[in-house]
Amino acid sequence: MSYLEEIQVKNLDHLGIVAGLIDEIGIVKIINNKLGIDVREKISAGTVVKSILINGLGFVSRPLYLFSQFFQDKAIEKLLGERIKPDYLNDDKIGRVMDELYKYGLNNIFIEVVLEVIKKFKIDLKYSHLDSTSFHLDGEYKREEDKEKQEEEKIIKERPIFIKKGYSRDHRPDLKQCVLDLITSQDGDIPLFVRVGDGNESDKAVFGKVLVEFKKQIKFDSIMVCDSALYGQENLQLIQHLKWITRVPMTIKKAKELVQNIEVEEVKDEDKEKRSDLNLESYTWKEEIVTYGGIKQTWLIVLSEKRQKSDLEKLEKQLSQEEKKSQKFLKEIQSEEFEHPQAARYKLKAINKKLRLLEIKEVELIETYSKKKEKIYKMISLIIKKDEEISRKTKEAGKFILATNLVEENKLEASEILITYKNQQSTERGFRFLKDPLFFTDSFFVEKPERIETMLFLMSLCLLIYNLGQRELINCLKRVKKGINNQVGKVTLRPTLRWIFQCFQGIHYVILNGVKQIVNLTEERRFILSLLPASCQRYYL
């Protein structure tokens, strides 16, 4: 055997960090305990799931039917275990494991993983955030049932989802889709609960039921935070035993009245510095006690200066656009010849339905004759502003209402309510991650809705691993009070885990004459590893 034939070089890069986080959580053990281990199989279900999660966080955008190719140049035995080969990870094996996961119960497995993370990493659950998004899907899906049977199903169901057209957050109404409900912690954006729903599902119809189910599974006294889709009389009755903060939709009559008539309080000098420290210097507010849906609540009417400026600019732009549009309509209706007065007025009514801030008003209807000596009617009209509507929008500019059922002895400070609701973007960050083109959302090549649900379950586990790793890294940097250089060379205490992954590109696992070693492990990389759990360090040190 020649000297060159005794050298093996495999890529390790950042995948040891991913594998270490999976080990630290104990995902392989949980999966194997649930699905069992068949001694006849070359690779366990838990290890297959680990390989899928490593692939998903590899950021190379390869669908599952190219799965084994992903590991061809990777240190697979280092990452997954001795004697494991890439061809063990074929599409048949992956498909069988996905089907077993679905059959056992994706929700049950996810909850057990989450509970382990909460316990081991001491996740603060004072606040939890709920939101939803949609994933559009190509192709035909085999499951079809009538709508009546669909509506009889419970919110947390045994049946597969319905891949259907519905309101698309991706602005692709032409495609079928499914919906993902996600609850995250405010502490580190850790996914606590995921649920895949039908493509035509309404947030208003399910959010209350999702929160009730979540509280059954995660028995912690968490305050639930949600957008205005939660706020309705039926949902409020359903979650009256929970603690919640949500936004009040401006379609409610009481909300409209308050926004129009109430004056937010001026900020006292002694409060200005405090608000600045909380990054709330551009906000003012006023509290009101309101009973709605039979539930006593605190309503916080908030005015944002930045949002007010933006809303007023939009209003001015809308007014300018309508002026141009209404001039065309005016010219059109004044040049038209009508056979009857009611035809002219019908046309005017149809035009005004297209305007919001302006109105074309009839001044006079003239009876005259056409060139063919036929009696016709011509309308003289003018453009007027809808002063009441413009005034209403001006008063509403920059204002919104937050509601909570935490009153009296459980009352929260107004600043805490506002800060907590602003952190609702934790779920939005999760959705951006899941929809990243570098992530494996293009793996939605599967034809069965059950596989779609399982894929979203696995993607949500990837999100949990990523956010947990980022949380641990940032917390350690705060403790040691030492930062690391970011992409532009500036020291930061809050690096993204994706940047850390990039920093670890070029680390190789080398076997030379039977001796195994890691190469390119610089001092900076060693320092980063010292901030991560011990399970991550074992793959490199």
Side-chain angles (χ1 to χ4, degrees), residues 81-97:
E82 291 185 7
R83 294 184 294 277
I84 291 181
K85 307 298 179 188
D87 57 5
Y88 294 177
L89 299 166
N90 55 67
D91 53 355
D92 289 335
K93 177 64 178 177
I94 293 168
R96 287 198 303 274
V97 170

Side-chain angles (χ1 to χ4, degrees), residues 257-280:
E257 291 173 356
L258 281 175
V259 165
Q260 285 292 307
N261 301 318
I262 205 163
E263 292 293 330
V264 296
E265 297 174 348
E266 290 290 327
V267 183
K268 297 176 182 177
D269 291 337
E270 58 266 30
D271 291 335
K272 287 183 179 178
E273 186 176 346
K274 182 180 177 182
R275 293 195 186 186
S276 179
D277 292 340
L278 296 171
N279 198 27
L280 296 177

Side-chain angles (χ1 to χ4, degrees), residues 114-115 117-119 122-129 183-188 190-193 214-215 217-225 243 471:
V114 165
L115 291 174
V117 168
I118 291 169
K119 179 182 176 182
K122 297 179 173 59
I123 307 298
D124 183 358
L125 295 178
K126 182 177 181 180
Y127 295 106
S128 304
H129 298 262
I183 296 178
T184 61
S185 69
Q186 190 163 305
D187 176 14
I190 305 300
L192 302 174
F193 186 85
F214 170 67
K215 293 299 287 187
Q217 305 276 0
I218 307 287
K219 300 185 185 301
F220 295 94
D221 193 24
S222 192
I223 299 170
M224 307 307 306
V225 187
K243 298 175 181 177
R471 174 187 181 272

Side-chain angles (χ1 to χ4, degrees), residues 14 52-63 70 431-443 459 462 466 498-499 501-502 505:
H14 69 283
I52 293 172
L53 301 178
I54 290 172
N55 180 210
L57 290 167
F59 296 111
V60 293
S61 191
R62 292 194 182 204
F70 172 82
F431 294 144
R432 285 198 297 271
F433 175 91
L434 293 171
K435 294 185 176 188
D436 192 306
L438 290 176
F439 200 42
F440 63 84
T441 47
D442 62 349
S443 301
M459 290 165 64
C462 285
Y466 181 90
R498 177 166 292 184
W499 168 241
F501 287 174
Q502 289 178 311
Q505 297 304 296

Side-chain angles (χ1 to χ4, degrees), residues 503 507 519-527:
C503 291
I507 295 180
V519 298
N520 293 337
L521 199 58
T522 63
E523 285 302 313
E524 181 186 28
R525 288 166 173 168
R526 288 177 182 271
F527 171 66

Side-chain angles (χ1 to χ4, degrees), residues 474-489:
I474 291 171
N475 286 346
C476 281
L477 285 171
K478 287 178 182 176
R479 282 197 295 271
V480 301
K481 297 180 180 178
K482 184 177 179 181
I484 60 176
N485 290 333
N486 63 12
Q487 293 93 321
V488 294

Side-chain angles (χ1 to χ4, degrees), residues 237-347:
Q237 287 294 327
L238 192 62
I239 62 169
Q240 59 181 310
H241 61 291
L242 306 180
K243 298 175 181 177
W244 50 262
I245 296 171
T246 186
R247 185 167 174 165
V248 180
M250 296 310 296
T251 52
I252 293 174
K253 184 179 178 182
K254 179 69 175 177
K256 288 181 181 178
E257 291 173 356
L258 281 175
V259 165
Q260 285 292 307
N261 301 318
I262 205 163
E263 292 293 330
V264 296
E265 297 174 348
E266 290 290 327
V267 183
K268 297 176 182 177
D269 291 337
E270 58 266 30
D271 291 335
K272 287 183 179 178
E273 186 176 346
K274 182 180 177 182
R275 293 195 186 186
S276 179
D277 292 340
L278 296 171
N279 198 27
L280 296 177
E281 61 269 26
S282 64
Y283 293 91
T284 50
W285 54 73
K286 185 175 177 59
E287 293 183 61
E288 290 282 314
I289 299 296
V290 173
T291 298
Y292 182 80
I295 309 296
K296 189 177 182 182
Q297 307 160 39
T298 297
W299 276 18
L300 189 68
I301 300 94
V302 183
L303 172 63
S304 164
E305 289 179 9
K306 291 180 181 177
R307 182 169 172 175
Q308 183 182 44
K309 182 181 178 183
S310 174
D311 287 350
L312 290 175
E313 287 174 353
K314 288 177 183 176
L315 180 61
E316 189 175 338
K317 185 178 179 180
Q318 185 183 354
L319 190 57
S320 175
Q321 289 173 340
E322 281 208 6
E323 283 174 350
K324 292 177 183 177
K325 189 190 295 185
S326 59
Q327 288 291 345
K328 291 181 181 178
F329 289 150
L330 181 68
K331 186 176 181 181
E332 178 185 328
I333 199 167
Q334 290 194 145
S335 62
E336 193 166 342
E337 298 176 348
F338 299 97
E339 293 182 0
H340 306 284
Q342 55 266 38
R345 291 180 178 124
Y346 181 82
K347 177 71 177 281

